[in-house]
Amino acid sequence: MNKMKQRFGVFLVIMSMAASMTAASDSAAAKLPKLSKNRVSVQAGKTVQLKLKNVSPKAKVSWTSKSKKIAKITQSTKKTAKIRGIKTGKTTITAKYKLGKIKKTLSCKITVKKKAAKPAVTSPAPVESPTAAATAPASTSSAAPPASSEPDGSPAPISYKWVTTWGTAEEKCDTTKDAMPKMPLTDTTVRQIIRVTTGGQKLRLRLSNQYGESDVEIQSLHLAKQVQADASTIDVSTDAVVKVNGSEQFTIPKGKVIVTDEVDFSVNALDNVAISAYFGAAPTQNITGHRGARATTYQVAGNQVSAEAFSSVKKTTSWFFLADASIWSPDKSKAVVCFGDSITDGYGTDATYLGKKPDSYTRWIDYFAKRLQANESTTHISLINEGIGANSILGSYPTDAGKDRFKRDLLEHDGVAYCIILFGVNDLNSLRDTSKYDQLLPEYQKMIQLCHENGIKVYGAPILPFGTSDYYSEASEEVRTKINNWMRSTDSNLDGIIDFESAVADPQNPKNILEEYTHEDGLHPYDGYEAMANAIDLNMFE
């Protein structure tokens, strides 16, 4: 009997110890690792420390910085990391935690600020010469004239720089039945319409003849505000002459890009600007332009650059020789390059079979621009549309391959601080196997690296579904899924994800775009562009 009591006592002790160990284990499991802070600011040249809490002695921890040029890790242990600010900008510090089957990635947003506030020494009057601007990367242009060093007790003036407010991807536009010139450009006036995404008092243009085999002679070039989005009518009171090196007559040399002189021209965000050019000699083939303007271009005979409205007009929906427009903007202003194919270009926004017309400004970028301007914290953000219909990352149809034009379209603009990449669907057309993934991945990596090397934050947009289109195959869907999963992983080194995919996908069948958005197309979200814009977190651009 005593032996039975002793055995029962031992059993109770063992059970008690087991319960205690289970409780301890449950308690430990409940305390997952976490960073002491999710957001940190540090001055350039200074150091800040991050702590990782609830770290097991047996865990493995690795710390990484997405951009060592902005902030780098100078010292780290399992529990702490010291981060030194290198230059102004934003990046992410990541701690990867591994303990057995537990794997966790934690991130902290790092904002590196200037070493110390410096008094502004500028006024809102640019002094950079257009000749110099045409031969140097314009994205670095922030020159400003010195102001008096005598203090007068007034508020410090705002520092200014050039920032691109509108842009398009240049392509080789050989004349077709649907493109200009309907008649030769020589001795005609062409009025093209652009919509700026930010406002200002001074504007300059970048003009491109990079694919031309002969010079383009401009006899006169004028700016004016468009009165109505679908008409050639301008507000003549806003008419302004554009010059190059002080001359109203100038040449865009074959194979070259030039920058005009700045023009005193007051515009508000989302204004439509008419650019009217009277041509002398001009090429009839290998014309540099952009086919998918989604806005009407008007052509008339003779010099009518200042005419209030055109009659006997010929029309097209392409731009010619325009690369971008920049505004003399407050120093905090930043531009976003939106890089992609026809979905970024806005295909379908002028689809006649759906009752749509040009000049509607219903691309996802147009809706995005409206949201930025409606939000007080993002009115300083401008957008550049670098989408080309039918273009792919690897293929050169209908113009340079995406991998070859990315550097130009990213860096040859002013004030670029962000890039959104929504690109690759044209590389996935009816694939028979998944080998395309291994070809595309290095190109995405090069794009991301180029952005980071130039201090540009890059956001990935997973490829939209296309299950009801002719593009679909099982291999195509598998490659799309692999690319999208990689984008969403920490291995991509992206600064964030903009989830257009979820915004337009059919919840019942995510391989397809919602039918109400794509109709019979299956590939383009005709009526889903606004939903795409609404899916963008504006905090990513504040």
Side-chain angles (χ1 to χ4, degrees):
M1 188 72 176
N2 289 336
K3 288 183 178 180
M4 289 181 64
K5 288 181 178 179
Q6 288 176 349
R7 290 174 181 173
F8 184 68
V10 170
F11 174 75
L12 288 177
V13 170
I14 292 171
M15 291 299 291
S16 177
M17 291 175 63
S20 176
M21 291 173 64
T22 301
S25 175
D26 289 343
S27 176
K31 293 183 178 181
L32 292 173
K34 63 179 183 178
L35 283 171
S36 56
K37 296 179 181 178
N38 293 324
R39 293 180 180 272
V40 172
S41 294
V42 61
Q43 285 188 357
K46 300 292 184 180
T47 300
V48 66
Q49 181 171 282
L50 289 181
K51 293 183 180 180
L52 190 59
K53 299 179 179 179
N54 306 327
V55 178
S56 169
K58 296 182 180 180
K60 293 182 179 179
V61 178
S62 59
W63 299 82
T64 56
S65 171
K66 278 197 172 182
S67 177
K68 295 178 182 178
K69 292 186 177 182
I70 294 174
K72 69 178 182 179
I73 298 165
T74 59
Q75 185 178 346
S76 65
T77 66
K78 286 185 179 180
K79 295 184 178 182
T80 63
K82 289 185 177 181
I83 295 94
R84 182 178 180 85
I86 304 302
K87 69 175 184 178
T88 54
K90 294 182 179 181
T91 187
T92 302
I93 300 297
T94 301
K96 290 186 177 181
Y97 181 94
K98 184 176 181 182
L99 177 62
K101 295 183 179 180
I102 299 174
K103 295 181 181 179
K104 194 168 179 64
T105 300
L106 304 105
S107 299
C108 177
K109 301 291 185 182
I110 302 290
T111 300
V112 180
K113 299 182 177 180
K114 294 180 180 179
K115 289 183 179 180
K118 295 182 179 180
V121 289
T122 182
S123 62
V127 296
E128 180 183 3
S129 75
T131 304
T135 58
S139 57
T140 63
S141 172
S142 60
S148 171
S149 60
E150 293 293 329
D152 59 4
S154 60
I158 299 173
S159 180
Y160 280 73
K161 65 182 180 182
W162 287 109
V163 178
T164 299
T165 187
W166 173 89
T168 190
E170 305 105 290
E171 52 182 315
K172 183 178 174 181
C173 296
D174 281 341
T175 304
T176 71
K177 63 178 182 178
D178 299 319
M180 286 251 289
K182 303 284 187 181
M183 56 183 178
L185 289 172
T186 301
D187 195 29
T188 73
T189 298
V190 176
R191 179 166 289 171
Q192 307 181 73
I193 311 299
I194 66 171
R195 173 167 287 189
V196 298
T197 54
T198 49
Q201 304 298 315
K202 292 180 182 290
L203 185 147
R204 73 181 185 187
L205 301 174
R206 184 174 283 104
L207 306 174
S208 177
N209 187 23
Q210 67 179 77
Y211 297 108
E213 295 178 354
S214 61
D215 294 348
V216 176
E217 294 179 0
I218 304 293
Q219 299 296 323
S220 184
L221 184 66
H222 283 226
L223 302 178
K225 289 186 180 182
Q226 186 186 32
V227 172
Q228 182 179 319
D230 60 352
S232 65
T233 310
I234 60 170
D235 179 352
V236 293
S237 69
T238 64
D239 184 69
V241 179
V242 181
K243 299 179 180 181
V244 172
N245 293 330
S247 175
E248 187 172 348
Q249 298 183 18
F250 58 88
T251 297
I252 314 173
K254 62 179 182 180
K256 300 295 183 180
V257 179
I258 67 170
V259 178
T260 70
D261 300 352
E262 65 270 5
V263 183
D264 289 326
F265 188 76
S266 177
V267 288
N268 298 316
L270 309 183
D271 275 351
N272 285 2
V273 177
I275 302 170
S276 302
Y278 174 53
F279 289 94
T284 57
Q285 60 183 2
N286 294 334
I287 293 177
T288 302
H290 187 87
R291 292 167 299 130
R294 322 295 172 199
T296 305
T297 292
Y298 307 89
Q299 184 185 34
V300 292
N303 184 356
Q304 300 189 47
V305 291
S306 296
E308 184 174 10
F310 290 168
S311 58
S312 301
V313 68
K314 295 181 181 292
K315 300 178 182 179
T316 187
T317 51
S318 297
W319 286 305
F320 297 87
F321 311 116
L322 299 181
D324 73 22
S326 292
I327 285 177
W328 191 239
S329 309
D331 193 54
K332 71 173 184 177
S333 303
K334 299 175 181 178
V336 184
V337 166
C338 304
F339 188 70
D341 44 45
S342 58
I343 296 173
T344 296
D345 206 14
Y347 183 84
T349 59
D350 51 359
T352 54
Y353 86 94
L354 294 174
K356 299 177 182 294
K357 297 179 180 179
D359 312 298
S360 66
Y361 297 97
T362 52
R363 292 162 287 213
W364 69 260
I365 287 180
D366 297 312
Y367 289 116
F368 183 23
K370 292 175 184 177
R371 289 192 64 211
L372 290 168
Q373 290 304 311
N375 179 45
E376 186 176 351
S377 299
T378 54
T379 56
H380 62 293
I381 300 296
S382 60
L383 301 178
I384 306 167
N385 191 330
E386 294 294 337
I388 294 181
N391 198 218
S392 60
I393 293 176
L394 300 175
S396 57
Y397 178 83
T399 188
D400 301 314
K403 65 183 178 64
D404 298 323
R405 69 180 176 92
F406 182 69
K407 183 176 181 180
R408 176 200 72 183
D409 291 349
L410 180 74
L411 301 181
E412 291 188 5
H413 301 290
D414 300 316
V416 175
Y418 303 98
C419 179
I420 299 173
I421 299 175
L422 173 61
F423 207 5
V425 69
N426 288 323
D427 294 274
L428 307 185
N429 187 357
S430 305
L431 299 181
R432 296 183 179 181
D433 58 55
T434 61
S435 60
K436 216 43 163 320
Y437 175 77
D438 293 324
Q439 300 173 47
L440 289 169
L441 185 61
E443 301 305 330
Y444 285 117
Q445 291 170 329
K446 291 175 188 175
M447 293 179 195
I448 294 166
Q449 182 179 354
L450 184 65
C451 287
H452 287 161
E453 286 175 348
N454 288 277
I456 296 169
K457 186 172 287 189
V458 55
Y459 298 132
I463 298 173
L464 305 190
F466 49 88
T468 59
S469 79
D470 293 339
Y471 274 33
Y472 184 84
S473 71
E474 290 186 5
S476 296
E477 177 62 17
E478 187 175 344
V479 174
R480 184 183 80 89
T481 301
K482 289 179 71 174
I483 290 171
N484 290 356
N485 289 342
W486 171 80
M487 280 190 177
R488 289 186 168 96
S489 74
T490 56
D491 291 339
S492 70
N493 207 27
L494 286 162
D495 295 295
I497 292 293
I498 294 179
D499 198 358
F500 293 143
E501 178 190 19
S502 298
V504 300
D506 184 344
Q508 304 303 317
N509 190 347
K511 293 181 181 179
N512 303 336
I513 295 176
L514 275 167
E515 193 277 334
E516 65 187 83
Y517 289 159
T518 190
H519 305 285
E520 298 175 1
D521 183 288
L523 186 67
H524 302 92
Y526 293 114
D527 288 312
Y529 289 125
E530 186 172 11
M532 290 172 63
N534 289 340
I536 302 171
D537 181 0
L538 298 186
N539 292 323
M540 301 169 80
F541 301 92
E542 290 184 349

